[in-house]
Amino acid sequence: MSMDRLLENIMRKQNPTVAGLDPKLSYIPEHIKARCFAEHGKTLEGAAAALLAFNKGLIDSLWDVVPAVKPQAAYYEMYGWQGMRALSETIAYAKSKGLFVITDGKRNDIGATMEAYAAAHLGQTDVEGESFEAFGADALTVNGYLGTDGIDPLLSVCAGRDKGIFVLAKTSNPSAGEFQDQMLHAMYEPLYRAMGNMCQQWGLKLPGRYGYSGVGAVVGATYPKQLKELRKALPNTIFLVPGYGAQGGAAKDVAQGFDRHGAGAIVNSSRAILCAWQKEGCDPEDYAGAARREAVRMRNEIMAELGGISLPV
Amino acid sequence: MSMDRLLENIMRKQNPTVAGLDPKLSYIPEHIKARCFAEHGKTLEGAAAALLAFNKGLIDSLWDVVPAVKPQAAYYEMYGWQGMRALSETIAYAKSKGLFVITDGKRNDIGATMEAYAAAHLGQTDVEGESFEAFGADALTVNGYLGTDGIDPLLSVCAGRDKGIFVLAKTSNPSAGEFQDQMLHAMYEPLYRAMGNMCQQWGLKLPGRYGYSGVGAVVGATYPKQLKELRKALPNTIFLVPGYGAQGGAAKDVAQGFDRHGAGAIVNSSRAILCAWQKEGCDPEDYAGAARREAVRMRNEIMAELGGISLPV
């Protein structure tokens, strides 16, 4: 089970955090950009080459500290197919270093179309009997608004190929509540909770060795009360927790998402890691060192809250 | 305003339908595949070349009948960056024929990340002062589960570049109701209606010449009662209507989505058009002719319900 691999990575490294790879051009040091633009011109190709080089440097520096990376698809898509190639190569490189890769795509659709997304990001694509991994992540974030018809096609791919999904439940943004906090008349609970309950239910098809299924949920660090409530209500659902740091979630907030073993959640940080060199004001050549220092700082801050991480057996 | 262009296209062609470009390899005639695999091998590259050739043939045959095409991103993404290149080239080719292009991506995220999706699909990407259109559609389908933080970044791009969005309200699939039909306690209305109401509100920022804003809604043909209800409740929201044909929606069902001028909605058909040659059993070399015959049949069937289409002034 894919989430088992994630949990094992987390325990081995005693670090329940994931480095978000959301590489904006403005985060990338000049020496990398200059080299890539010299080779490819100021083009989408040049930009994509810069993203990939930046990511590889980060991965080389982070692979033994963090258990996972989370590339955000949007930042690659905006550079066209050239950017999508950089996404694919980033994922392959991260996996070659033993990192668990969560593609943050928030994909959603139904039936055969959702099967196509599942093939794209978690499965294989068949071309006349030959099989190819298009993007090949270990897990994918998805949006469950369309209901079970949008989730079932993923579950069969996950089961067959040891992959997982994270379904948006309570997102970290200020307007998340517009829909997600609406109380549902029939269920006497808010929409995010109903979505969380469905994660538990969908997860029954993908049971895991450590009590956590292959269907996780996204729950924002900016809503610690709901994080605590959902942790209690959804004992078999691992949480991907955005919103730590820049968005306002503190270590004591994210601690609400963990179980008594210090397991059950993974906390994302993107900008604070990617832009650490700018904040530190260090030599841009040392951007990856700065990223590592921030990743270690974040790990230490969260681990101080948790004490340690063990896996329930 | 982008939806103005769509409405004008619909009126000029007296055809309120959109051809979905969801090209599975199994829909593509052997002579196209054989040529592409001979040139590129049985690879993602070869598959992507086949998708593009298939689409170009369809567009050449459909451009003067239908006002718009709707490529479904998933079917390109599953062929990796090579598939995404075929998506980009399909969109450019369709636009060169005067077609309005709706990319069906159901994208969703917040803030700067949603800005990246907006740049990718509707806007331009800046590379050190040079601007590029990554995918360059006229409209994008989006999922509103994250609330206004996920929509606002699109609206500014739409306003500046004459583009539009379609937000999922009531989708066409059987399990759509799991969340979308839930009655919201505070609002005394179901979630899909609340989403629809927000489309009206978001649309205030993108008013259009014919009464329809730049924020449309996706409402399935398989739920004609809700289609009728929403048509009445959301006078400034144009509907993208999936689920006609194969999924069970009939012409009299989709007619519920139109206003008294015969405007206000566009009905999608994908498989029935793409696979018309297989259903007809015609010469595979004539696949595009079969697609055109099906598109004309569909237009006539729906226009028989509507009578004619005029634009409110």
Side-chain angles (χ1 to χ4, degrees), chain A residues 248-312:
Chain A
K252 67 170 181 359
D253 295 328
V254 302
Q256 305 294 336
F258 291 84
D259 65 22
R260 64 197 171 86
H261 303 278
I266 185 160
V267 181
N268 181 70
S269 173
S270 303
R271 214 178 327 160
I273 291 177
L274 304 184
C275 301
W277 67 276
Q278 292 169 328
K279 197 172 169 205
E280 264 193 19
C282 70
D283 181 352
E285 299 266 0
D286 188 33
Y287 79 96
R292 183 185 173 93
R293 289 188 286 279
E294 170 59 20
V296 167
R297 192 204 62 72
M298 179 189 178
R299 177 199 66 194
N300 293 347
E301 188 174 272
I302 292 173
M303 286 302 289
E305 291 289 329
L306 301 183
I309 301 169
S310 61
L311 290 182

Side-chain angles (χ1 to χ4, degrees), chain B residues 29-189:
Chain B
E30 283 305 325
H31 68 279
I32 294 177
K33 288 191 281 196
R35 196 179 67 224
C36 293
F37 292 137
E39 190 171 345
H40 303 283
K42 289 185 176 176
T43 58
L44 295 178
E45 195 119 44
L51 304 191
L52 181 61
F54 181 63
N55 285 346
K56 282 187 167 180
L58 290 170
I59 291 166
D60 285 341
S61 183
L62 293 171
W63 71 271
D64 62 334
V65 176
V66 298
V69 291
K70 180 176 75 65
Q72 165 54 256
Y75 291 103
Y76 302 85
E77 228 161 284
M78 72 180 282
Y79 296 102
W81 61 265
Q82 297 92 336
M84 293 304 271
R85 187 167 59 188
L87 172 61
S88 159
E89 289 172 0
T90 294
I91 292 170
Y93 193 72
K95 284 165 75 180
S96 78
K97 297 285 184 178
L99 288 161
F100 187 93
V101 179
I102 303 167
T103 293
D104 197 352
K106 300 186 175 62
R107 297 302 194 247
N108 61 111
D109 216 290
I110 55 167
T113 306
M114 201 65 217
E115 282 170 21
Y117 277 131
H121 294 287
L122 301 174
Q124 290 189 315
T125 297
D126 175 80
V127 180
E128 308 274 307
E130 305 287 329
S131 283
F132 299 90
E133 278 202 339
F135 293 101
D138 295 300
L140 177 69
T141 61
V142 304
N143 185 317
Y145 184 75
L146 290 83
T148 299
D149 299 328
I151 303 297
D152 266 349
L154 292 156
L155 299 183
S156 41
V157 170
C158 288
R161 290 177 49 78
D162 189 23
K163 307 281 183 170
I165 58 173
F166 289 94
V167 181
L168 303 183
K170 174 76 181 168
T171 56
S172 60
N173 54 305
S175 77
E178 283 175 9
F179 300 110
Q180 299 163 27
D181 286 356
Q182 289 291 335
M183 285 296 289
L184 304 183
H185 191 75
M187 299 188 181
Y188 275 114
E189 60 188 14

Side-chain angles (χ1 to χ4, degrees), chain A residues 170-172 219-224 227 241-245 248-250 253-254 267:
Chain A
K170 174 75 181 169
T171 56
S172 60
V219 187
T222 43
Y223 299 105
L227 194 51
V241 183
Y244 168 81
D253 295 328
V254 302
V267 181

Side-chain angles (χ1 to χ4, degrees), chain B residues 201-217:
Chain B
Q201 195 177 313
W202 292 323
L204 294 175
K205 291 192 185 166
L206 299 173
R209 191 178 304 156
Y210 308 111
Y212 288 100
S213 81
V215 179

Side-chain angles (χ1 to χ4, degrees), chain A residues 9-284:
Chain A
N9 264 9
I10 288 171
M11 195 194 62
R12 201 161 36 237
K13 289 173 177 164
Q14 289 289 300
N15 184 358
T17 71
V18 49
L21 298 178
D22 309 9
K24 301 185 87 161
L25 273 190
S26 58
Y27 300 169
I28 302 180
E30 283 305 324
H31 67 280
I32 294 177
K33 288 192 281 196
R35 196 179 66 224
C36 293
F37 292 138
E39 190 170 345
H40 303 283
K42 290 185 177 176
T43 58
L44 296 177
E45 196 120 42
L51 304 191
L52 181 61
F54 180 63
N55 286 346
K56 282 188 167 179
L58 290 170
I59 290 166
D60 285 341
S61 184
L62 293 171
W63 71 270
D64 62 334
V65 176
V66 298
V69 292
K70 181 176 75 64
Q72 164 53 256
Y75 291 103
Y76 303 85
E77 227 162 285
M78 71 179 283
Y79 295 103
W81 61 264
Q82 297 93 335
M84 293 305 271
R85 186 167 61 187
L87 172 62
S88 159
E89 290 172 359
T90 294
I91 292 170
Y93 192 71
K95 283 166 73 180
S96 78
K97 298 285 183 177
L99 288 162
F100 186 94
V101 179
I102 304 167
T103 293
D104 196 352
K106 299 185 174 64
R107 297 301 194 248
N108 62 109
D109 217 291
I110 55 167
T113 306
M114 201 65 217
E115 282 170 21
Y117 277 131
H121 294 286
L122 301 175
Q124 291 189 314
T125 297
D126 176 80
V127 179
E128 308 275 307
E130 306 287 331
S131 283
F132 299 89
E133 278 203 336
F135 294 101
D138 296 301
L140 176 69
T141 61
V142 304
N143 185 317
Y145 184 75
L146 290 84
T148 298
D149 298 329
I151 303 297
D152 267 349
L154 291 156
L155 299 183
S156 42
V157 171
C158 288
R161 290 176 49 77
D162 188 24
K163 307 279 184 172
I165 58 173
F166 289 95
V167 181
L168 303 183
K170 174 75 181 169
T171 56
S172 60
N173 55 304
S175 77
E178 284 175 9
F179 300 110
Q180 299 164 27
D181 287 356
Q182 290 291 334
M183 285 296 289
L184 304 184
H185 191 74
M187 300 188 181
Y188 275 114
E189 61 188 13
L191 176 59
Y192 73 79
R193 175 71 180 269
M195 191 65 80
N197 292 344
M198 289 298 279
C199 290
Q200 275 285 122
Q201 195 177 314
W202 292 322
L204 294 175
K205 290 193 187 166
L206 299 173
R209 191 179 304 158
Y210 308 110
Y212 289 101
S213 81
V215 179
V218 174
V219 187
T222 43
Y223 299 105
K225 227 182 81 185
Q226 288 82 346
L227 194 51
K228 186 179 181 179
E229 168 209 336
L230 291 175
R231 178 67 294 145
K232 207 170 158 187
L234 313 176
N236 308 112
T237 308
I238 188 171
F239 295 157
L240 173 62
V241 183
Y244 168 81
Q247 278 185 62
K252 67 170 181 359
D253 295 328
V254 302
Q256 305 294 336
F258 291 84
D259 65 22
R260 64 197 171 86
H261 303 278
I266 185 160
V267 181
N268 181 70
S269 173
S270 303
R271 214 178 327 160
I273 291 177
L274 304 184
C275 301
W277 67 276
Q278 292 169 328
K279 197 172 169 205
E280 264 193 19
C282 70
D283 181 352

